[in-house]
Amino acid sequence: MTIMSSWSHEERALFNPAFTALVSARVVQGHATKHGPVCPLPVVVTAAVMALQPAVRALLPNTTGANMPKWAEENEQIRVHMAANAPALSDVVRPGVLFALQTGVLAVESAGLTLRRRAIPVAITGATPTVVAIQKAAHMLGRWLPTAGDTAMALTLLGVRP
């Protein structure tokens, strides 16, 4: 049994390309505020996968100033959640990234993805607290995951294969 089966109906209902496109765009938006406009695709997918998991969101630090390697070491259960859910959630996120590309929300650059100007509002809003929490987590992860060093290092700390 995967951890995904314990999610609420509302959370599973969010696994559609339009919402995962928005979540992916929030990752790129967050990345742009701290690291530049081009966000590596593995960061986009990993951050979106993390943001969609309630158990992972509950463990995220309150600040992007937190030391990523130390946080990963202190929160080893992250690896369990990622191992259990990342393969299935990646299959949910990828169509969202494709949808964002097809609708012009995101664009492909040689080193990753960029957000089209004004493609999504700066203010994070949503119909439910869960929708808002996922977007805020995605935005934060876009800023924070790259602080671990290179992308491969961040993924390794999370137990995800690059």
Side-chain angles (χ1 to χ4, degrees):
M1 180 172 103
T2 67
I3 297 170
M4 283 180 61
S5 63
S6 66
W7 292 353
S8 73
H9 175 70
E10 175 197 3
E11 290 161 338
R12 285 192 306 273
L14 297 174
F15 297 166
N16 66 73
F19 185 68
T20 56
L22 175 60
V23 172
S24 300
R26 291 288 182 203
V27 173
V28 177
Q29 184 182 51
H31 186 275
T33 65
K34 194 167 184 176
H35 304 285
V38 181
C39 185
L41 181 59
V43 171
V44 174
V45 174
T46 302
V49 164
M50 291 176 74
L52 288 167
Q53 296 181 69
V56 172
R57 287 195 311 272
L59 294 170
L60 291 175
N62 294 325
T63 175
T64 58
N67 182 292
M68 169 72 171
K70 183 178 177 186
W71 173 85
E73 184 180 314
E74 292 172 352
N75 294 280
E76 291 181 8
Q77 63 270 43
I78 291 298
R79 285 190 189 89
V80 173
H81 296 300
M82 292 299 284
N85 296 318
L89 283 175
S90 293
D91 289 343
V92 170
V93 169
R94 281 192 291 270
V97 171
L98 181 59
F99 185 72
L101 291 167
Q102 290 172 333
T103 57
V105 171
L106 294 177
V108 176
E109 295 289 328
S110 61
L113 302 176
T114 60
L115 181 66
R116 299 281 181 159
R117 279 179 24 97
R118 301 181 193 168
I120 60 173
V122 173
I124 296 175
T125 61
T128 68
T130 301
V131 168
V132 172
I134 292 169
Q135 290 182 73
K136 285 183 176 181
H139 192 269
M140 179 271 205
L141 286 161
R143 291 188 327 260
W144 184 58
L145 285 180
T147 65
D150 66 3
T151 302
M153 173 60 86
L155 298 179
T156 301
L157 289 169
L158 299 168
V160 177
R161 285 181 286 174

